[in-house]
Amino acid sequence: MDELDAIVVGAGFAGLAMLQRLRELGLAARVFESGSGIGGTWFWNRYPGARCDIESLEYSYQFSDELQQEWEWTERYATQPEILSYLEHVADRFDLRRDIELDARVRSATWDDARGRWTVETASGVRASARFCILATGCLSSPNEPRFPGLDAFAGPVLHTGRWPQGGVGFAGQRVGLVGTGSSALQALPLVAAEAEHVFVFQRTATYSVPAHNHPLDPELQRRVKADYTGLRQRAAQMLTGFDTRPSEKLALSVDAAERRAEYEDRWARGGLPFLSAYADLLLSREANETAADFVRGKIREIVRDPGLADALSPRQAIGCKRLCVDSGYYDAFNRPNVTLVDVARAPIEAVTRRGLRTSERAYELDALILATGFDAMTGAMLRIDVRGRDGLPLARKWAEGPRTYLGLATAGFPNLFTITGPGSPSVLSNMVPSIEQHVRWIGECLAYLGHHGLRRIEASAVAEDAWVGHVNDVAGLTIFPSCNSWYLGANVPGKPRVFMPYLGVPTYAQRCDEVTGKGYEGFALAP
């Protein structure tokens, strides 16, 4: 069994950056990756139209200025193939592949208190030991697979958007069922509908989406950004979500209706997630939020020609309490004669049959079934590993009523275990790549501190953890986020505890992490 300084689980954005930092510290490390290639989320999500909803110039690493300068993005919002190419370039440029083991799904990670080491075992029986175990498993990497009766009997292909075949799939002449109306469904529908004979979209909850207005990147814009990349990154780090959303300090209800509409029109015309930053109170006040929600519902009515269909596609919940989507032609796809919306909130799916799908109202004959049902977010990938801490405590048991962490970086009872963008950190409410790098820097500084002071262990205290969990919940309670059933709360996974998992506020969070470090890792127990 190999003896290492650190083991990293996952070779996506987080795993690659962590490996590079461990190398810089002179530590012996290995990455175990379940896929046959690197990339994490961007390796598995190959469905038609898969694209990032953060602009490419910001959804990228900043640990190397040379990397920032040399890589040329081609579009405002990068596609999955381009992001995967970028990550492969990073792995090659920094010679990371020699310490990455592919096709190595981690089955268990067990803490040995006497030795002060973690033992990690893969599904194929490979074992390795390390002082530190770092879970870089990703927030959206464990597919949420619905348990429809009869699913295994379906004669055609059953495709989950989070586990799309590498060779691609053709739908020419086929009747396709698309289950779900989240981000992946919104991106996939226009492309699938352009090819298929007919697409039936099975919707439980209508989704808010704003246009991407994607386009090729202007070389001059890219040149200007690269000339002041440091400035862009510094400004973004002071934004609530860690990327440039053009935030306003105005309150929606402090201006008149005409001014509000002009601002919303301007944001709609520019496209993208900055729509929700039009006013400072959209995530805090339901009354203010309704002004933005009503504007988007009006846009849906403008785009979708059938009034009844437009109404069915218009959400009723607060805008932003579920992940706001960014699309390229989603609502317009429902103007096509070969796209049919099926309301499964009114007529639930009862079963999948050999020839299709049956709701409580009727049967639909299908040749292919696409499950765009999202992920067991934030905790799913970690809890699929049998992680056992002190005294054999299973992580799954400790988190049975919801995840408990200190800063989203560590959890009491699990020494020398770190989680990158874990629950209790900004993660999915932020630009993931800078949030990942902030965690990688923090972990790297922590390991360097331990080494310099001759310390072998670090563990979050239960008191600090309780206080942080309470703080995360208090912050969420000030917002509209807990007002609807979203994957932020685990509501999309049957039986999952309803706990709001991410932390809102990148600058506040980063400041708290720095304070913990500055006070000799306040809230952690350190031991030689």
Side-chain angles (χ1 to χ4, degrees):
M1 180 169 62
D2 290 343
E3 301 278 331
L4 303 160
D5 293 313
I7 290 172
V8 180
V9 182
F13 266 102
L16 296 181
M18 192 72 247
L19 176 57
Q20 172 65 9
R21 184 70 187 109
L22 292 167
R23 290 253 196 94
E24 291 172 348
L25 292 170
L27 299 176
R30 181 176 305 166
V31 177
F32 289 103
E33 166 57 46
S34 64
S36 60
I38 65 162
T41 294
W42 299 106
F43 173 82
W44 296 105
N45 285 263
R46 300 168 178 265
Y47 60 86
R51 189 185 296 275
C52 189
D53 59 4
I54 305 288
E55 296 194 28
S56 54
L57 287 168
E58 292 191 72
Y59 192 81
S60 53
Y61 288 126
Q62 53 189 299
F63 69 81
S64 165
D65 189 56
E66 290 80 7
L67 174 64
Q68 289 190 126
Q69 295 298 325
E70 72 191 18
W71 184 263
E72 295 286 322
W73 294 102
T74 65
E75 296 183 69
R76 180 186 184 189
Y77 295 101
T79 61
Q80 176 270 332
E82 185 168 20
I83 296 171
L84 185 58
S85 294
Y86 171 73
L87 289 170
E88 289 173 339
H89 169 76
V90 171
D92 292 334
R93 192 190 191 288
F94 296 97
D95 190 26
L96 300 178
R97 294 183 193 270
R98 59 185 166 88
D99 289 321
I100 300 172
E101 189 163 336
L102 301 174
D103 294 310
R105 179 173 295 280
V106 172
R107 178 169 56 195
S108 65
T110 307
W111 172 253
D112 184 331
D113 206 50
R115 298 181 65 224
R117 298 184 71 82
W118 283 93
T119 298
V120 169
E121 184 173 354
T122 70
S124 62
V126 173
R127 300 174 78 232
S129 169
R131 288 176 56 206
F132 302 100
C133 182
I134 303 166
L135 300 180
T137 47
C139 295
L140 299 175
S141 55
S142 181
N144 176 34
E145 299 179 4
R147 300 172 184 172
F148 298 133
L151 190 61
D152 292 340
F154 183 61
V158 178
L159 308 156
H160 194 288
T161 49
R163 287 293 182 269
W164 202 262
Q166 291 191 40
V169 182
F171 298 104
Q174 295 188 20
R175 297 160 298 181
V176 179
L178 177 60
V179 179
T181 52
S183 181
S184 56
L186 268 67
Q187 291 182 335
L189 176 61
L191 289 141
V192 174
E195 181 182 3
E197 177 184 311
H198 204 96
V199 181
F200 296 93
V201 180
F202 296 91
Q203 172 186 277
R204 183 175 58 185
T205 307
T207 304
Y208 290 104
S209 187
V210 296
H213 297 315
N214 188 48
H215 52 71
L217 266 182
D218 178 2
E220 177 58 23
L221 170 64
Q222 193 156 194
R223 187 198 65 76
R224 289 198 306 270
V225 167
K226 288 185 176 184
D228 185 32
Y229 235 138
T230 300
L232 173 66
R233 301 296 196 180
Q234 289 175 344
R235 291 189 296 274
Q238 298 309 309
M239 305 279 179
L240 185 71
T241 54
F243 65 99
D244 187 6
T245 57
R246 297 183 289 115
S248 169
E249 295 182 0
K250 291 183 178 180
L251 303 180
L253 301 178
S254 69
V255 301
D256 62 33
E259 183 176 338
R260 275 200 308 270
R261 180 162 189 88
E263 178 65 21
Y264 291 146
E265 287 284 4
D266 178 67
R267 299 258 172 174
W268 185 271
R270 294 194 188 194
L273 295 175
F275 180 85
L276 274 180
S277 296
Y279 293 101
D281 54 349
L282 293 186
L283 297 179
L284 302 175
S285 161
R286 188 62 189 263
E287 187 180 359
N289 184 278
E290 183 62 18
T291 66
D294 192 56
F295 174 85
V296 175
R297 288 191 287 262
K299 286 296 183 183
I300 296 170
R301 290 191 293 271
E302 288 178 16
I303 297 168
V304 180
R305 292 192 288 267
D306 182 323
L309 186 53
D311 184 65
L313 288 166
S314 296
R316 301 292 181 261
Q317 71 272 12
I319 185 170
C321 67
K322 291 189 173 188
R323 176 78 174 194
L324 180 63
C325 294
V326 178
D327 75 279
S328 296
Y330 172 69
Y331 294 120
D332 191 57
F334 287 94
N335 291 322
R336 298 178 62 100
N338 70 329
V339 175
T340 299
L341 183 70
V342 181
D343 183 359
V344 297
R346 188 189 74 249
I349 296 172
E350 292 187 337
V352 176
T353 65
R354 177 172 172 76
R355 297 180 60 82
L357 184 151
R358 186 178 71 247
T359 71
S360 61
E361 288 187 345
R362 57 161 285 192
Y364 298 86
E365 289 197 3
L366 304 172
D367 302 299
L369 188 60
I370 300 173
L371 303 177
T373 48
F375 299 90
D376 184 350
M378 300 196 70
T379 60
M382 285 187 277
L383 294 180
R384 289 191 180 188
I385 302 169
D386 183 11
V387 181
R388 294 179 181 257
R390 272 189 298 105
D391 303 319
L393 174 65
L395 185 63
R397 184 190 302 167
K398 179 179 177 181
W399 287 4
E401 296 181 3
R404 302 186 65 79
T405 75
Y406 181 37
L407 303 174
L409 279 160
T411 185
F414 294 79
N416 291 11
L417 178 75
F418 297 99
T419 56
I420 298 180
T421 60
S425 71
S427 58
V428 294
L429 291 181
S430 70
N431 181 352
M432 284 296 297
V433 182
S435 287
I436 283 168
E437 289 197 88
Q438 187 254 333
H439 271 193
V440 165
R441 287 193 300 272
W442 192 95
I443 294 169
E445 289 174 9
C446 178
L447 299 189
Y449 179 91
L450 296 177
H452 181 72
H453 291 84
L455 299 167
R456 300 285 295 180
R457 297 188 190 191
I458 181 169
E459 180 184 345
S461 75
V463 172
E465 180 176 277
D466 288 345
W468 183 252
V469 170
H471 176 61
V472 171
N473 290 333
D474 288 344
V475 171
L478 297 173
T479 74
I480 53 90
F481 283 112
S483 68
C484 66
N485 291 324
S486 71
W487 56 258
Y488 296 139
L489 289 144
N492 62 320
V493 178
K496 188 169 182 175
R498 298 298 191 265
V499 176
F500 191 75
M501 293 179 282
Y503 180 78
L504 179 63
V506 166
T508 305
Y509 173 81
Q511 181 181 355
R512 177 58 184 148
C513 288
D514 290 343
E515 289 172 355
V516 167
T517 302
K519 294 179 180 179
Y521 294 91
E522 180 183 54
F524 288 92
L526 285 67

